[in-house]
Amino acid sequence: MDGNGRWAKKRHLPRVLGHQRGVEAVRRLIRGVRGMGLEAVTLYAFSSENWRRPEQEVSDLMGLLKRFIISDIDEIAANGVRLKIIGDYKALSADIVDLLEGAMARTAGNCELTLAIALNYGSQQEIARAAAAAAIKGEITAEAIEAELDTACLPPLDLVVRTSGEVRLSNFLLWQAAYAEMWFTDVLWPDFTPDHLAHALGAFGQRERRFGGR
């Protein structure tokens, strides 16, 4: 979900307003994906590298996260969405951890859609943690590592969508994206709509996936 800051800069607005509009885009997307036939949607909300941002911006992002969980959990739960958090989220402040774990517990039995939110997430760190956990249990194999990934309970990754014109993965789901399709758009995240996602899914549906075979 890239481009909040640039969206605000283009309009001569504070960055926090770009992030606020980004949250609105998340809300719009969650409401819009119902009926698209998706099992899971994973949103890259806060990376392990985002701590390098100015302290005030990090504080603003954490405040927006708290408000989103508090204000939207009723709607999320009522619409059959299961919330899953990936990344080292327990390193966040205790009040946020409590909110997240309460939301996950409340929605654990839902099966309409899994909404995975990546918080304090970095794929290289995730793979390192998974390999270490696999080593404790026995032989380190691809299957053993995969079983220890944060996404072990999620379906295989089919499509990666990145907004804002950047064409890179930025330490996101590197293992899981081994044979995923990629779709990049110049649209900044606050302007991204379910129609854009539908267009990405349409393009995905036209691709031939061979997974290394002919």
Side-chain angles (χ1 to χ4, degrees):
M1 301 184 291
D2 196 19
N4 292 344
R6 275 168 284 174
W7 185 93
K9 185 177 181 180
K10 285 176 62 176
R11 291 159 176 79
H12 307 288
L13 297 171
R15 284 179 66 88
V16 66
L17 290 183
H19 293 310
Q20 288 175 5
R21 289 298 184 95
V23 171
E24 292 175 15
V26 169
R27 187 175 291 120
R28 188 168 61 228
L29 186 73
I30 295 170
R31 292 169 177 165
V33 296
R34 294 196 298 273
M36 290 187 182
L38 300 179
E39 293 181 73
V41 174
T42 302
L43 302 177
Y44 202 2
F46 191 86
S47 78
S48 51
E49 289 77 28
N50 285 157
W51 294 109
R52 302 171 187 167
R53 294 188 178 189
E55 183 177 349
Q56 184 58 55
E57 183 173 0
V58 172
S59 177
D60 289 339
L61 288 167
M62 293 299 148
L64 286 169
L65 172 62
K66 288 172 62 175
R67 288 196 291 275
F68 173 76
I69 296 296
I70 292 169
S71 66
D72 285 57
I73 187 57
D74 287 345
E75 181 179 347
I76 288 171
N79 283 289
V81 177
R82 177 174 72 107
L83 184 66
K84 164 73 175 173
I85 307 298
I86 66 172
D88 187 17
Y89 74 90
K90 292 187 178 181
L92 304 179
S93 63
D95 58 337
I96 292 178
V97 172
D98 287 344
L99 279 173
L100 294 172
E101 293 188 337
M104 284 191 286
R106 181 175 173 184
T107 61
N110 291 348
C111 56
E112 183 72 22
L113 172 77
T114 296
L115 174 65
I117 301 180
L119 291 170
N120 196 24
Y121 176 85
S123 189
Q124 292 174 331
Q125 297 90 326
E126 175 196 25
I127 294 168
R129 291 196 306 270
I136 291 172
K137 294 180 179 180
E139 183 182 3
I140 302 177
T141 64
E143 292 76 16
I145 291 173
E146 190 160 301
E148 299 296 337
L149 293 173
D150 296 350
T151 55
C153 66
L154 297 177
L157 179 63
D158 290 316
L159 176 65
V160 176
V161 173
R162 180 163 185 164
T163 60
S164 86
E166 302 291 355
V167 186
R168 58 177 180 269
L169 290 179
S170 296
N171 203 16
F172 181 58
L173 300 180
L174 302 179
W175 180 287
Q176 298 86 342
Y179 282 102
E181 297 293 319
M182 309 289 170
W183 192 83
F184 300 98
T185 177
D186 290 335
V187 175
L188 301 175
W189 176 251
D191 294 325
F192 193 82
T193 69
D195 286 342
H196 290 112
L197 179 59
H199 181 67
L201 292 171
F204 169 80
Q206 297 299 313
R207 298 183 186 180
E208 182 183 0
R209 304 182 73 198
R210 296 186 296 276
F211 300 94
R214 288 192 162 187

